[in-house]
Amino acid sequence: MGQDLLGFYPQWYVPNFGSGYVVAAIASTHVLFSHISVGASFLLAYLLYKAYKGNHEEIYAYVKRYFLVLLLTSYIVGSLTGPGIWFSTTVSNPRGISALIHNFVWAWAAEWVWFVTEVALVYIIYYIFDKIDRRTLMHISWVFAVVSWGTLLLIVGILSFMMSPGSEKWFHTGNIMDSFYNPNYFPQVAVRTSFTVALAALMGLAIATRMRESKLRQELVREVSLIGIGGLLLAGMSMIWYLETLPDRAKTTLDFAIPEAFKNTIFISIILVALVFAFFYALPKANRSLAFLALLMVVVLGLTIFPQERIREWLRKPYIAGDYLYVNQIVARDVPAKGVKSEIPFIDEHGFLKVHPFVPASAKTVTPGNMLEAGRAMAMISCAHCHSLDPAGPRPLVQKLEQVSTRPDVIYQFIERRLSGDPHQGAAPYMPQIAGTDEEIRALAAYLADITKQYVESKRATEQAAR
Ligand code: HEC
């Protein structure tokens, strides 16, 4: 019996919320602050260059204050949420993290070194700001900017591999270079970098508009507005490039499964921010109190990070990483170079409940007496990574199945078709192939029918009570 178990982990299920949303909340916060810090590092280096060239004392005071704010916000929140991503993803998707570590351990080690250097530099720069000569200060700040960007360059290799290795090569070589520089890598670097530029320009605008009226102020306002428009244009263009490099299944998901409103929020906010830049470019003398407008736009642009990251995760489905590991932790195809084999045939033969070490003994074998318990266990290990089993949370199954049926046989047919893994049979491109014995899938259908029926009935009861 012992050797028939597969290496699955206990499942972290957050009722009515979903472990995925816990990760998303931590990760989006992290992305926001880390993008701000990359953009800010370049902005500050540029301002120090400007101050040095033109001997502008007033800029130094601003930049120093800016460093302090950055240190107290971005670096504190960023450094807390970074490990937060590690903790939460390790519990929510242990095999996903394991797959990434087995491929990218050195990339991550390198990223850590760059990150530590970056954090050390932000403290050092603030501390020595008035103590060293200004030329050296300027040079150090450029080193700081490049190191900040370096962390982005490294982490994007891993993120884009999660979307797809992009070709068959890596499966046979297992070489980190064949997965790191995948077709999705450069466009994603371009999207993120241009976003950081736009964010930095907005913050620059907030600083410049607060300076007292002078030729320098107007010059700065116009310059950062232009840089901002450039950043947004680049972001838009590289987003189109990015979409081009997606795997076909992701393109289908983008066109058919992701709500228009979600995509539109991104474009609308980009246009809004572009208009603000254009306004300041045209009217560089605009009132000082408009600084708040620029800051407001930082928030607007910052908030698009959430839909952007969410869409990226959506497009990656059914995989968590590398086109071979499903979000629900099942290895879906062979990776010869890594000695990894698809687990689906094994699970189909032996039963998912049987080979999963953390399914309770009472649910291991499907019997007429434990149909619902076994079915719930199946739903937990097959669907719950992406679908809430409660009425709230991510894509609640009861809400989805309400449209399908409350009958076990119809739900069974739905699963056999939509989760068949075969597009010709009508499989959804975003859902994994169902794995398990026929009995287990019937138990799953029985459980899903049961909870959907309860949901529909309680909805009807509240509607009647309201009338
Ligand atoms: C890898 C993530 C993932 C897993 C695992 C998954 N689904 Fe889905 N499912 C999706 C996505 C994405 C959609 C598209 C709709 C959305 O995003 O709201 C979807 C949609 C659905 C729908 C709506 C109809 C349709 O075909 O689009 C049903 C019903 C459904 N899933 C049932 C299930 C069941 C039952 C399981 C478990 C056996 C399951 N799903 C496992 C991601 C997943």
Side-chain angles (χ1 to χ4, degrees):
M1 178 71 205
Q3 74 267 29
D4 284 348
L5 291 174
L6 292 177
F8 287 94
Y9 293 82
Q11 182 139 347
W12 182 30
Y13 181 76
V14 184
N16 287 309
F17 194 70
S19 59
Y21 281 180
V22 177
V23 176
I26 300 173
S28 298
T29 313
H30 183 79
V31 170
L32 174 60
F33 283 96
S34 55
H35 281 51
I36 286 183
S37 65
V38 172
S41 66
F42 277 97
L43 173 73
L44 295 176
Y46 169 72
L47 286 175
L48 285 179
Y49 162 80
K50 189 109 186 138
Y52 177 72
K53 284 276 152 191
N55 221 347
H56 298 300
E57 265 319 304
E58 62 266 57
I59 298 187
Y60 283 107
Y62 272 106
V63 173
K64 189 177 177 193
R65 197 161 2 130
Y66 200 137
F67 262 104
L68 181 64
V69 173
L70 196 66
L71 195 158
L72 291 178
T73 54
S74 238
Y75 281 87
I76 305 262
V77 183
S79 314
L80 283 174
T81 47
I85 298 180
W86 277 107
F87 288 133
S88 57
T89 51
T90 303
V91 198
S92 112
N93 211 302
R95 287 182 138 201
I97 282 292
S98 166
L100 295 178
I101 291 177
H102 278 92
N103 203 39
F104 290 113
V105 68
W106 291 112
W108 252 319
E111 200 259 349
W112 186 81
V113 173
W114 288 73
F115 170 71
V116 169
T117 312
E118 179 191 351
V119 175
L121 276 177
V122 78
Y123 284 89
I124 291 171
I125 291 174
Y126 184 72
Y127 186 73
I128 63 174
F129 201 92
D130 300 313
K131 299 191 177 75
I132 53 164
D133 71 282
R134 290 184 156 166
R135 197 180 143 81
T136 315
L137 179 71
M138 176 186 84
H139 286 155
I140 296 179
S141 74
W142 279 111
V143 173
F144 171 60
V146 171
V147 171
S148 293
W149 191 44
T151 60
L152 185 151
L153 292 179
L154 280 162
I155 216 73
V156 167
I158 301 173
L159 287 177
S160 55
F161 168 81
M162 290 178 79
M163 179 64 78
S164 169
S167 79
E168 285 295 304
K169 203 169 166 205
W170 172 78
F171 291 93
H172 300 284
T173 63
N175 187 330
I176 183 169
M177 286 304 168
D178 295 332
S179 49
F180 192 92
Y181 294 114
N182 57 74
N184 203 227
Y185 176 76
F186 289 105
Q188 192 173 153
V189 165
V191 174
R192 290 189 188 272
T193 303
S194 32
F195 252 92
T196 65
V197 170
L199 275 171
L202 278 176
M203 293 184 295
L205 200 55
I207 295 181
T209 42
R210 278 188 51 80
M211 289 168 72
R212 78 187 146 69
E213 180 51 44
S214 66
K215 239 186 99 223
L216 174 68
R217 176 187 182 277
Q218 286 184 38
E219 193 186 310
L220 270 177
V221 167
R222 295 197 94 173
E223 264 177 22
V224 291
S225 300
L226 215 56
I227 293 175
I229 291 176
L232 288 177
L233 265 173
L234 271 178
M237 288 186 326
S238 33
M239 245 183 225
I240 296 171
W241 180 24
Y242 174 82
L243 295 176
E244 284 300 308
T245 62
L246 288 173
D248 285 341
R249 64 173 155 77
K251 288 182 186 156
T252 318
T253 304
L254 184 70
D255 292 342
F256 298 105
I258 299 182
E260 288 300 316
F262 224 71
K263 301 180 224 173
N264 291 343
T265 47
I266 299 173
F267 285 98
I268 292 171
S269 44
I270 288 183
I271 290 169
L272 203 68
V273 174
L275 286 176
V276 171
F277 279 132
F279 169 81
F280 279 108
Y281 184 77
L283 299 167
K285 284 188 184 164
N287 195 304
R288 281 178 64 159
S289 61
L290 281 174
F292 90 95
L293 186 65
L295 270 179
L296 187 71
M297 289 299 121
V298 177
V299 177
V300 169
L301 201 61
L303 289 184
T304 66
I305 284 178
F306 178 70
Q308 284 188 57
E309 299 294 322
R310 179 94 207 278
I311 288 177
R312 190 174 52 75
E313 304 249 313
W314 218 322
L315 295 177
R316 201 173 62 209
K317 290 182 167 58
Y319 302 102
I320 187 77
D323 279 351
Y324 78 95
L325 183 66
Y326 283 149
V327 178
N328 65 9
Q329 308 281 283
I330 296 173
V331 176
R333 64 165 283 184
D334 297 352
V335 187
K338 300 266 173 193
V340 171
K341 283 220 171 312
S342 166
E343 292 170 334
I344 297 177
F346 187 80
I347 296 176
D348 281 348
E349 188 189 333
H350 297 271
F352 200 5
L353 299 171
K354 284 245 173 59
V355 304
H356 195 302
F358 292 94
V359 167
S362 55
K364 285 268 174 204
T365 313
V366 182
T367 63
N370 76 353
M371 279 293 255
L372 294 184
E373 189 196 355
R376 182 173 167 84
M378 270 300 276
M380 193 59 94
I381 58 183
S382 309
C383 324
H385 290 88
C386 305
H387 292 282
S388 177
L389 307 184
D390 301 300
R395 317 183 176 86
L397 276 178
V398 286
Q399 284 180 25
K400 296 281 174 204
L401 287 166
E402 193 188 5
Q403 331 280 334
V404 179
S405 176
T406 53
R407 279 174 45 192
D409 53 329
V410 180
I411 295 180
Y412 172 82
Q413 281 162 11
F414 170 89
I415 296 173
E416 288 283 285
R417 183 173 57 83
R418 282 302 264 176
L419 291 103
S420 60
D422 178 3
H424 299 293
Q425 281 186 47
Y430 38 75
M431 282 202 270
Q433 181 181 340
I434 185 80
T437 61
D438 193 58
E439 268 182 321
E440 288 177 333
I441 299 169
R442 290 203 184 270
L444 169 64
Y447 165 75
L448 293 175
D450 185 62
I451 56 170
T452 309
K453 209 159 154 190
Q454 281 178 34
Y455 172 71
V456 172
E457 275 163 13
S458 78
K459 234 173 82 174
R460 211 171 286 152
T462 32
E463 272 166 27
Q464 260 158 14
R467 238 184 261 142

